[in-house]
């Protein structure tokens, strides 16, 4: 597989990076957007000169159902309004794959459509699941898309303590959209995209 020596150690390192993000103290985050159902925070990323975003909200469904909608697969395209295509390029060992997906233009096309090639991994986490990913340097490019890059990102989904039929979904996203875009446009788009993601997901479930 292109540029990925040992899948198991790569997946473990990715998972550990996400758990580190999940343990960052609350006072390190600043609120970027708040709606009645979801809060989005941000802090400077240590991976690139943008932000690491954190989003959190309660979803009215069980963990497995929520993660099945988020992980790579046909289900995701049905409801995620930002995604325009999703192909699984390679199935690796259990719960790992390489996927290519494309996103729609945003902010009246100030941000043109993007393409990403990501390694994706889904694993048990506490009483729930973690679905995480990171972009790969994949040589094959399509000229009609700008190739974006996802630094380590992922979604933790755990049952609510007092109601296991509801899930607490917490996401960490740090996307380098690349291309010539003002950083302020990226920041506006990211916070709104994350809030909309929860709305789209709730409708789908």
């Amino acid at each position: 597989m292109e540029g990925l020596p040992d899948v198991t150690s790569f997946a473990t390192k990715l998972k550990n990076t996400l758990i580190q993000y999940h343990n960052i103290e609350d006072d390190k985050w600043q609120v970027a957007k708040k709606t009645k159902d979801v809060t989005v925070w941000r802090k400077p990323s240590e991976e690139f000169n943008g932000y690491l975003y954190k989003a959190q909200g309660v979803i009215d469904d069980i963990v497995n159902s929520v993660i099945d909608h988020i992980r790579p697969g046909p289900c995701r395209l049905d409801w995620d309004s930002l995604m325009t295509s999703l192909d699984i390029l390679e199935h690796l060992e259990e719960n790992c794959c390489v996927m290519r997906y494309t996103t729609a233009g945003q902010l009246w096309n100030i941000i043109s459509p993007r393409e990403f090639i990501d390694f994706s991994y889904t694993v048990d986490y506490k009483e729930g699941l973690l679905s995480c990913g990171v972009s790969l340097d994949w040589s094959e490019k399509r000229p009609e898309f700008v190739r974006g890059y996802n630094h380590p990102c992922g979604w933790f989904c755990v049952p609510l303590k007092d109601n296991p039929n509801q899930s607490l979904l917490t996401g960490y996203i740090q996307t380098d959209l690349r291309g010539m875009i003002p950083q302020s446009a990226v920041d506006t788009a990211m916070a709104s995209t994350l809030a909309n993601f929860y709305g789209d997901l709730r409708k789908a479930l």
Side-chain angles (χ1 to χ4, degrees):
M1 196 214 113
E2 194 173 337
L4 198 62
D6 174 3
V7 172
T8 307
S9 65
F10 192 79
T12 302
K13 185 176 170 219
L14 176 61
K15 176 185 82 173
N16 291 340
T17 301
L18 265 298
I19 290 171
Q20 261 176 304
Y21 296 160
H22 207 38
N23 291 327
I24 295 172
E25 296 92 359
D26 290 348
D27 61 3
K28 298 280 194 291
W29 298 97
Q30 68 179 92
V31 173
K33 189 174 181 77
K34 198 172 168 71
T35 68
K36 75 180 200 323
D37 297 322
V38 57
T39 305
V40 180
W41 298 265
R42 68 179 197 188
K43 69 182 283 300
S45 168
E46 289 171 15
E47 301 282 344
F48 77 123
N49 64 355
Y51 288 99
L52 167 62
Y53 287 86
K54 172 182 178 178
Q56 192 169 67
V58 172
I59 303 284
D60 209 4
D61 208 333
I62 58 169
V63 166
N64 284 12
S65 177
V66 175
I67 289 292
D68 275 344
H69 277 69
I70 291 175
R71 70 162 102 209
C75 202
R76 179 75 185 257
L77 268 183
D78 287 344
W79 64 268
D80 189 337
S81 59
L82 192 60
M83 253 189 206
T84 50
S85 73
L86 189 157
D87 300 297
I88 293 178
L89 302 180
E90 282 189 43
H91 284 282
L92 305 167
E93 44 210 75
E94 52 168 350
N95 297 329
C96 296
C97 69
V98 178
M99 64 170 185
R100 171 169 50 206
Y101 69 93
T102 54
T103 58
Q106 297 175 71
L107 290 181
W108 307 281
N109 239 23
I110 291 172
I111 300 174
S112 63
R114 291 293 190 269
E115 173 185 64
F116 297 87
I117 309 273
D118 283 12
F119 171 81
S120 172
Y121 175 47
T122 302
V123 62
D124 291 333
Y125 173 78
K126 296 192 172 169
E127 298 82 49
L129 290 165
L130 161 63
S131 184
C132 50
V134 64
S135 284
L136 301 171
D137 290 315
W138 201 261
S139 50
E140 177 206 336
K141 286 194 167 66
R142 294 192 284 188
E144 65 272 32
F145 292 100
V146 175
R147 172 70 60 81
Y149 191 92
N150 284 314
H151 294 278
C153 55
W155 296 92
F156 290 87
C157 191
V158 293
L160 286 189
K161 287 190 174 54
D162 47 358
N163 181 359
N165 293 323
Q166 290 185 311
S167 305
L168 182 67
L169 182 65
T170 310
Y172 297 89
I173 305 290
Q174 47 187 343
T175 300
D176 186 350
L177 290 168
R178 298 185 171 167
M180 305 298 290
I181 320 169
Q183 190 59 43
S184 60
V186 174
D187 297 338
T188 304
M190 287 302 295
S192 300
T193 296
L194 281 165
N196 293 343
F197 180 91
Y198 280 79
D200 284 351
L201 179 57
R202 284 195 180 97
K203 280 185 204 129
L205 290 162

